[in-house]
Amino acid sequence: MSTESEHHIGLPQYFSVFGALMALTGLTIWIAFQDFGWLNNVFAVGIAVIKATLVILWFMHLRYSSQLTKSLLLVSLFFFLLLVAFVFADTLTRGMLEITGRPPVIGG
Amino acid sequence: MSEAVQNSRLAHWYRSWEEQTESVTLAMWFFLVTEVMFFGGIFTAYLIYRAQNPEAFAAASHHLDIVMGGVNTAVLIGSSLTVVMSVWAAERGKQKALATWLFLTMLLGLTFLVIKYFEYSAKFEHNLVPGASFEFHDTRAGEHGYVDPSRARMFFHLYFFMTGLHALHMIIGLGIYGVLLFNTLKGKYSVRWHDPIPVAGLYWHFVDLVWIFLFPLLYLIGRH
């Protein structure tokens, strides 16, 4: 058996990805102690997404996987994010209209 | 491994080795996307509570140990590297290197759990484990509003559930890698057939992925 990865990916790429992941970890910790206001949250999640993408594409070889595998992940992620988006559309907007007589949102 | 044993590794319903590898890899990805839903639900719950109680959650997350969390992040990224190295060695039939990388992966996984143990112990000592003895004090410097201890307790409920579930996945991963190492030492894998190595690797990387999101969300947000 010869897997796809062996024709494309070499050790230098693995070490580069490893180095990038470590550097991004350092960066995200440094950013956590700076005050960028609401951007802090954006940076924290954004860096985590970049790190996850590096792991998925190179360490998990998704770049060199079949179209079927790629589609599986993309379609699943799309529907997962859709599900989460609708949950947030509900929970994060409660109490916004301040309808008279409606009890206040707990913890809101 | 003899040629006969070698060929028996190809299940009769596959037309080729490539098709078999493709199938088992896809099956693992299917399992992993169900895991995304599993962890995703808890992450969503955490984000909703965090959005509703920003002050209490920021105060509570100050009790987490960034040094231990950061070291554990590095340990896990290191273990992801040893995992890809094990796949690399397996593809080239380097049995000794394969065994070494599998062993190092287990060692790093164990390191993670030991550090986690010390982190949990500190939480027990400081009465931060949700339960009868739970006691919360805002330790942040400067002026802050009143923090409702029951809201801070919610943070620790989520913290223990999320990191606990992640640690459980690590323990299962250690078991899987123990089997892989055992089979490698028995000479079960070859250049032609070593599917369990990259497939288990996918699982390990996924557990690393979960931590990549857990670390900033639990330890880092609201820290400054």
Side-chain angles (χ1 to χ4, degrees):
Chain A
M1 187 197 75
S2 77
T3 50
E4 279 293 298
S5 61
E6 100 188 55
H7 306 299
H8 303 281
I9 238 168
L11 293 185
Q13 271 152 304
Y14 285 146
F15 288 116
S16 309
V17 171
F18 171 74
L21 289 172
M22 289 301 233
L24 285 168
T25 303
L27 182 67
T28 194
I29 293 173
W30 179 78
I31 285 176
F33 289 97
Q34 314 302 313
D35 191 357
F36 294 116
W38 60 274
L39 275 173
N40 272 77
N41 296 354
V42 176
F43 285 140
V45 176
I47 290 174
V49 169
I50 294 170
K51 285 167 74 181
T53 310
L54 286 176
V55 171
I56 290 171
L57 289 183
W58 276 280
F59 280 1
M60 297 171 92
H61 300 143
L62 194 74
R63 271 192 71 168
Y64 310 107
S65 297
S66 67
Q67 282 301 320
L68 186 59
T69 311
K70 286 177 189 165
S71 323
L72 168 70
L73 186 65
L74 282 178
V75 171
S76 304
L77 282 184
F78 172 76
F79 281 103
F80 168 68
L81 291 175
L82 194 67
L83 181 72
V84 172
F86 274 93
V87 171
F88 283 141
D90 170 7
T91 56
L92 299 184
T93 55
R94 284 182 198 178
M96 269 188 176
L97 292 177
E98 294 183 16
I99 296 167
T100 321
R102 178 174 286 181
V105 180
I106 298 163
Chain B
M1 200 165 10
S2 74
E3 195 66 20
V5 174
Q6 180 78 258
N7 286 332
S8 70
R9 295 286 174 198
L10 178 62
H12 67 83
W13 54 85
Y14 293 119
R15 281 167 299 188
S16 65
W17 291 96
E18 287 72 23
E19 194 181 60
Q20 175 167 275
T21 301
E22 170 68 21
S23 296
V24 296
T25 307
L26 186 67
M28 191 40 147
W29 276 103
F30 258 107
F31 170 67
L32 294 184
V33 296
T34 68
E35 288 269 274
V36 169
M37 298 299 291
F38 185 31
F39 278 98
I42 310 163
F43 274 102
T44 307
Y46 172 78
L47 289 173
I48 289 168
Y49 276 102
R50 176 123 214 168
Q52 289 180 348
N53 311 283
E55 264 300 295
F57 271 50
S61 76
H62 268 71
H63 286 273
L64 297 190
D65 194 325
I66 273 199
V67 176
M68 287 211 221
V71 169
N72 257 350
T73 307
V75 167
L76 272 194
I77 293 173
S79 76
S80 265
L81 181 69
T82 59
V83 165
V84 289
M85 293 309 294
S86 74
V87 176
W88 184 86
E91 283 167 352
R92 283 156 187 79
K94 298 176 191 291
Q95 300 303 323
K96 249 186 155 171
L98 172 59
T100 310
W101 291 118
L102 292 176
F103 177 73
L104 285 176
T105 304
M106 292 183 72
L107 205 62
L108 287 168
L110 206 60
T111 308
F112 177 92
L113 288 173
V114 168
I115 292 175
K116 204 77 220 151
Y117 165 78
F118 284 113
E119 252 190 292
Y120 277 2
S121 309
K123 297 289 165 290
F124 274 94
E125 271 172 38
H126 299 133
N127 293 327
L128 288 170
V129 181
S133 60
F134 183 82
E135 226 176 280
F136 185 77
H137 304 286
D138 195 346
T139 55
R140 293 173 301 170
E143 282 296 305
H144 291 286
Y146 167 74
V147 168
D148 182 352
S150 75
R151 296 285 147 190
R153 192 174 60 207
M154 194 64 211
F155 174 87
F156 286 101
H157 269 297
L158 287 159
Y159 165 78
F160 279 106
F161 194 66
M162 294 165 96
T163 57
L165 194 62
H166 176 265
L168 177 66
H169 277 77
M170 292 290 301
I171 293 167
I172 294 170
L174 279 181
I176 294 171
Y177 271 76
V179 173
L180 292 186
L181 181 58
F182 179 75
N183 285 343
T184 302
L185 295 176
K186 281 182 72 181
K188 273 200 180 174
Y189 305 122
S190 62
V191 175
R192 166 146 278 184
W193 187 79
H194 54 263
D195 287 343
I197 307 286
V199 170
L202 288 177
Y203 173 84
W204 192 279
H205 289 308
F206 172 80
V207 179
D208 184 20
L209 280 182
V210 172
W211 186 260
I212 282 177
F213 285 97
L214 280 180
F215 177 60
L217 289 179
L218 290 172
Y219 291 74
L220 297 181
I221 286 180
R223 203 67 194 209
H224 59 270

